[in-house]
Amino acid sequence: MATDGAAPEGEAGSKRKLLVFDSKEDLAVSLAKYTADLSEKFAAERGAFTVVLSGGSLVNSLRKLTEPPYLDSVDWSKWHVFWVDERVVPKDHEDSNYKLALDGLLAKVPIPTGQVYAINDALSAEGAADDYETCLKQLVKNGVIAMSQSTGFPRFDVMLLGMGPDGHIASLFPGHPLVNENQRWVTYIKDSPKPPPERITFTFPVINSSAYVAMVVTGAGKAGAVQKALSDKQTSSDLLPVEMAVLQDGEFTWFTDKPAVSMLQNK
Ligand SMILES: O=C1O[C@H](COP(=O)(O)O)[C@@H](O)[C@H](O)[C@H]1O
């Protein structure tokens, strides 16, 4: 069961929704349907479905996609999979977001391997960010990734994102200068406050150009950041990274559970 709540409005042309589920199980069922519905829509409209994953707890919330009916009903051949951020570690390392998604999702569904865009783990953080950005630019040229006419940045069909207890999303951390990057599509960090320290990450202009974002947040440990992000009394200074995720022209849906919204006044 989900209850729909109001979320503060985004920019003109963007929609925000808050879904609150009784259990993580219910959330996972709804998130699978949301993703499968978008897959069908974009496969029909564009012949491709560009999906951006985060690491962390998000991947477990996608587990229902690997089960019936979605295992057989989704047209996995249309999927192109990217990471909103990645740790600069070998792909078989326990800290790798690629490995997390491979073990929890990608090894269980028939997405063509050439359509899964992992970072080059032989490169430095700076080199891996450049290399990933070059890969994205090529895919824009090929028409696999759409471009946003209004922002001039790539427009992914959906980003399935998590948020840390400190309000970070991707590898964009509170108070870090990377949150202000407005030229690059992909950048790097060598002093991440959450280990491991070296990572690459999409920038806000790319995140905010998305057509759809699902922000998947569960657990009482994140209630403070959820309250700050969703309370009506927003202040423009001192924004958490999650508050800087404001779509130019898209639909932003919070998938939460009751502990995560426990500090909201009107839940
Ligand atoms: O380090 C990271 O953390 C965030 C949040 O992770 P969670 O386990 O608290 O959901 C994640 O979204 C990001 O991709 C990851 O690199």
Side-chain angles (χ1 to χ4, degrees):
M1 262 284 289
T3 46
D4 286 15
E9 287 300 312
E11 300 294 310
S14 85
K15 293 185 198 134
R16 289 171 83 89
K17 286 188 196 166
L18 170 64
L19 301 177
V20 183
F21 295 90
D22 287 340
S23 68
K24 289 183 184 176
E25 183 71 7
D26 289 351
L27 185 157
V29 169
S30 177
L31 185 63
K33 183 175 183 326
Y34 167 91
T35 309
D37 287 351
L38 290 179
S39 171
E40 191 178 342
K41 166 185 158 66
F42 284 105
E45 285 175 13
R46 308 182 48 236
F49 181 44
T50 53
V51 182
V52 179
L53 302 177
S54 72
S57 54
L58 177 270
V59 175
N60 187 42
S61 299
L62 294 175
R63 64 188 180 279
K64 298 287 176 192
L65 282 170
T66 70
E67 299 173 6
Y70 304 114
L71 187 54
D72 294 325
S73 64
V74 167
D75 185 354
W76 299 102
S77 71
K78 299 292 192 294
W79 281 47
H80 292 258
V81 178
F82 305 85
W83 277 266
V84 74
D85 72 323
E86 179 57 287
R87 291 88 179 274
V88 183
V89 294
K91 284 204 264 292
D92 58 359
H93 192 283
E94 284 306 314
D95 285 336
S96 162
N97 284 343
Y98 167 81
K99 177 174 164 37
L100 185 70
L102 183 70
D103 294 348
L105 173 68
L106 303 176
K108 301 174 182 176
V109 296
I111 299 171
T113 49
Q115 293 172 200
V116 174
Y117 305 93
I119 70 164
N120 184 338
D121 60 356
L123 300 175
S124 65
E126 186 172 7
D130 284 349
D131 182 69
Y132 210 71
E133 186 170 298
T134 301
C135 168
L136 300 187
K137 288 187 168 157
Q138 191 57 46
L139 290 165
V140 167
K141 268 193 196 144
N142 298 347
V144 171
I145 302 173
M147 274 298 273
S148 163
Q149 298 310 317
S150 53
T151 68
F153 284 89
R155 178 170 173 80
F156 288 91
D157 298 332
V158 67
M159 294 201 182
L160 303 169
L161 305 182
M163 178 196 80
D166 58 355
H168 86 267
I169 62 168
S171 284
L172 299 163
F173 291 90
H176 196 283
L178 274 194
V179 300
N180 298 316
E181 172 59 52
N182 61 12
Q183 300 296 315
R184 296 291 308 260
W185 295 10
V186 184
T187 188
Y188 65 96
I189 177 170
K190 290 189 157 186
D191 57 354
S192 163
K194 177 179 175 182
E198 300 204 359
R199 294 149 172 255
I200 73 166
T201 182
F202 282 11
T203 59
F204 272 117
V206 175
I207 293 170
N208 289 342
S209 298
S210 305
Y212 289 83
V213 166
M215 183 61 64
V216 183
V217 179
T218 61
K222 297 178 179 176
V226 169
Q227 187 215 11
K228 180 157 178 1
L230 293 180
S231 71
D232 295 336
K233 295 180 201 112
Q234 294 226 349
T235 50
S236 56
S237 63
D238 213 18
L239 291 177
L240 294 176
V242 71
E243 296 175 90
M244 298 173 74
V246 178
L247 302 188
Q248 285 292 320
D249 176 19
E251 190 175 293
F252 190 109
T253 306
W254 286 80
F255 286 78
T256 67
D257 65 358
K258 290 188 168 167
V261 297
S262 55
M263 291 172 70
L264 285 181
Q265 298 296 323
N266 303 312
K267 43 191 188 261

